[in-house]
């Protein structure tokens, strides 16, 4: 069926775009960044030099400098989805006598999500300055493999505390650096990692609630219309029982905006659900995204250490203290005084 094919292409396109945007969320060495670089090398043979420069500047400005573009896009997408939900889905569900608390649940989740978004995007992620450097150096021990004592940031000209990293987009070193999030236009570090986790979980819950309510509405429409028990005639005049592709096409013709919104929020739920699971895994094991990526490279590469092959350094996570204490550290970062007492 031509319609169903086009609709599946649309869903796949949205999923790919969402996944790529998540992959390139502030990481220069991501898979997407490497793929773009390789593709640009090939296209440079046919694309004019001036156009290459403009494209390079635009890409650099989008992903490697602080910009409000993705924040505006983030808010615009939420406004579009909730506008459609309020304009059509809420009204139809109210007429079908859905419980009011269920209909208001997405708005409550949205309020919590926007609160976490503001707190995370406007918070100091843990910027390392000359005034707090001495105390931050004492918070985490150096593992001697991924973080070594005496490493100096060439930009900030200060010794890097363990678990810190210089963010090129913000131009500062961040304590317990996780990643730079373009959707927040801010880094995720020691001081706002807890708010980021709550923001991510609340965003996933919001998308899930919208998808569930919209699916429940469309299912109720199908059941009330009796389409499941009917038949239709194909182009050759043969009678066939109604199947899922026919129902999807019928619903799209009747509620085109609702079906497109449903496809978007379902894919968003899948992407955010996977990312939330990954973020929870990092929180349970007391790792950051930066540390997890570096540990993969330590496991795959044999050229990261100057030691002889028989004395290769092996990375081991020395910061994990058990699931409960790891979670507690996310929401209440340790200080140098606490470590001294221990």
């Amino acid at each position: 069926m031509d319609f169903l094919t086009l609709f599946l292409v649309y869903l796949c396109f949205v999923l790919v775009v969402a996944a790529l945007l998540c992959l390139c969320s502030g990481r220069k060495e991501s898979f997407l960044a490497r793929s773009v670089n390789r593709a640009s090398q090939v296209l440079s043979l046919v694309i004019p030099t001036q156009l290459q420069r403009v494209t390079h500047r635009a890409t650099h400005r989008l992903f490697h400098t602080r910009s409000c573009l993705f924040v505006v896009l983030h808010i615009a997408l939420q406004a579009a989805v909730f506008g459609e939900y309020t304009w059509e889905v809420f009204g139809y569900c109210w007429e079908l006598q859905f419980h009011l608390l269920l209909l208001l649940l997405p708005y409550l989740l949205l309020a919590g999500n926007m609160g976490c978004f503001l707190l995370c995007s406007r918070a100091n992620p843990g910027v390392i300055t000359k005034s707090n450097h001495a105390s931050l150096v004492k918070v985490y021990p150096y593992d001697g493999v991924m973080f070594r004592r005496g490493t100096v940031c060439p930009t900030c000209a200060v010794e890097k505390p363990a678990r810190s990293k210089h963010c090129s987009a913000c131009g500062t070193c961040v304590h317990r650096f996780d990643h730079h999030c373009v959707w927040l236009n801010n880094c995720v570090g020691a001081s706002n990692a807890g708010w980021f986790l709550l923001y991510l979980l609340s965003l996933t819950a919001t998308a899930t609630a919208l998808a569930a309510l919209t699916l429940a509405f469309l299912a109720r429409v199908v059941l009330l219309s009796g389409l499941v028990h009917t038949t239709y005639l194909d182009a050759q005049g043969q009678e066939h029982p109604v199947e899922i592709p026919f129902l999807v096409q019928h619903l799209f013709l009747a509620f085109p905006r609702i079906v497109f919104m449903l496809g978007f929020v379902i894919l968003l739920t899948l992407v955010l659900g996977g990312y939330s699971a990954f973020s929870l895994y990092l929180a349970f094991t007391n790792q950051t995204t930066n540390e997890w990526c570096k540990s993969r490279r330590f496991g795959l590469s044999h050229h990261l250490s100057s030691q002889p092959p028989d004395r290769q350094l092996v990375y081991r996570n020395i910061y994990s203290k058990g699931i409960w204490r790891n979670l507690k550290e996310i929401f209440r970062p340790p200080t140098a005084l606490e470590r001294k007492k221990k």
Side-chain angles (χ1 to χ4, degrees):
M1 186 178 294
D2 293 337
F3 163 79
L4 190 58
T5 302
L6 291 174
F7 186 67
L8 290 176
V9 170
Y10 157 74
L11 294 182
C12 292
F13 173 77
V14 173
L15 178 61
V16 169
V17 170
L20 290 179
L21 288 175
C22 289
L23 282 173
C24 70
S25 180
R27 293 196 294 272
K28 285 186 174 181
E29 301 299 328
S30 64
F31 169 78
L32 177 61
R34 293 194 300 268
S35 301
V36 170
N37 289 334
R38 291 168 186 166
S40 64
Q41 291 175 1
V42 176
L43 294 176
S44 63
L45 302 175
V46 294
I47 297 179
T49 305
Q50 191 64 27
L51 182 59
Q52 292 180 41
R53 292 174 181 173
V54 173
T55 305
H56 175 74
R57 290 172 185 168
T59 304
H60 179 80
R61 184 174 181 81
L62 280 176
F63 298 111
H64 302 308
T65 60
R66 298 198 68 178
S67 171
C68 293
L69 177 62
F70 282 96
V71 176
V72 174
L73 178 60
H74 173 276
I75 297 174
L77 287 174
Q78 284 192 327
V81 170
F82 271 88
E84 177 59 26
Y85 173 77
T86 304
W87 183 256
E88 291 194 284
V89 178
F90 186 94
Y92 287 136
C93 289
W94 180 255
E95 293 178 4
L96 294 174
Q97 298 182 342
F98 277 64
H99 199 286
L100 181 60
L101 289 179
L102 289 177
L103 298 180
L104 294 178
L105 179 60
Y107 297 107
L108 298 177
L109 292 172
L110 176 65
N113 175 251
M114 292 306 297
C116 294
F117 171 80
L118 291 174
L119 289 170
C120 191
S121 61
R122 299 181 65 87
N124 181 344
V127 176
I128 300 173
T129 62
K130 292 183 178 180
S131 60
N132 63 13
H133 173 265
S135 60
L136 293 180
V137 168
K138 302 175 183 178
V139 174
Y140 291 111
Y142 291 89
D143 61 5
V145 180
M146 189 179 297
F147 304 105
R148 302 186 183 187
R149 188 178 299 276
T151 304
V152 178
C153 174
T155 304
C156 301
V158 295
E159 180 184 1
K160 289 184 177 181
R163 311 192 76 181
S164 68
K165 185 179 183 297
H166 183 84
C167 176
S168 59
C170 296
T172 57
C173 283
V174 178
H175 182 52
R176 198 185 182 278
F177 177 86
D178 191 276
H179 70 286
H180 179 86
C181 182
V182 295
W183 299 103
L184 297 171
N185 195 27
N186 196 11
C187 284
V188 178
S191 300
N192 63 348
W195 290 118
F196 176 77
L197 184 61
L198 293 177
Y199 158 76
L200 190 59
L201 293 176
S202 61
L203 187 60
T204 305
T206 303
T208 303
L210 286 170
L213 282 169
T214 306
L215 276 173
F217 159 69
L218 293 177
R220 181 76 65 87
V221 169
V222 170
L223 291 175
L224 292 176
S225 64
L227 283 174
V228 180
H229 307 291
T230 58
T231 59
Y232 71 97
L233 299 177
D234 61 12
Q236 287 74 33
Q238 296 181 348
E239 188 175 8
H240 298 278
V242 170
E243 298 174 346
I244 292 179
F246 182 88
L247 289 176
V248 173
Q249 180 174 350
H250 174 77
L251 290 173
F252 176 77
L253 294 175
F255 310 102
R257 292 186 297 272
I258 294 179
V259 173
F260 269 97
M261 183 200 76
L262 175 61
F264 175 75
V265 293
I266 287 178
L267 292 177
L268 191 62
T269 300
L270 294 175
V271 173
L272 290 173
Y275 190 30
S276 296
F278 173 68
S279 297
L280 284 173
Y281 162 74
L282 295 180
F284 290 156
T285 57
N286 204 337
Q287 296 183 81
T288 65
T289 304
N290 177 55
E291 292 166 1
W292 184 87
C293 293
K294 284 185 175 181
S295 67
R296 300 308 97 186
R297 282 183 275 169
F298 269 93
L300 296 175
S301 175
H302 298 285
H303 305 285
L304 293 174
S305 173
S306 58
Q307 299 289 334
D310 59 339
R311 296 183 59 188
Q312 283 289 330
L313 295 176
V314 178
Y315 171 73
R316 184 174 62 90
N317 182 14
I318 66 172
Y319 306 111
S320 181
K321 309 178 187 67
I323 293 178
W324 174 246
R325 292 180 64 185
N326 291 340
L327 280 176
K328 182 180 178 182
E329 184 173 311
I330 292 292
F331 296 98
R332 187 174 178 273
T335 61
L337 181 61
E338 291 177 348
R339 187 192 167 196
K340 186 176 181 180
K341 288 181 179 179
K342 294 178 183 178

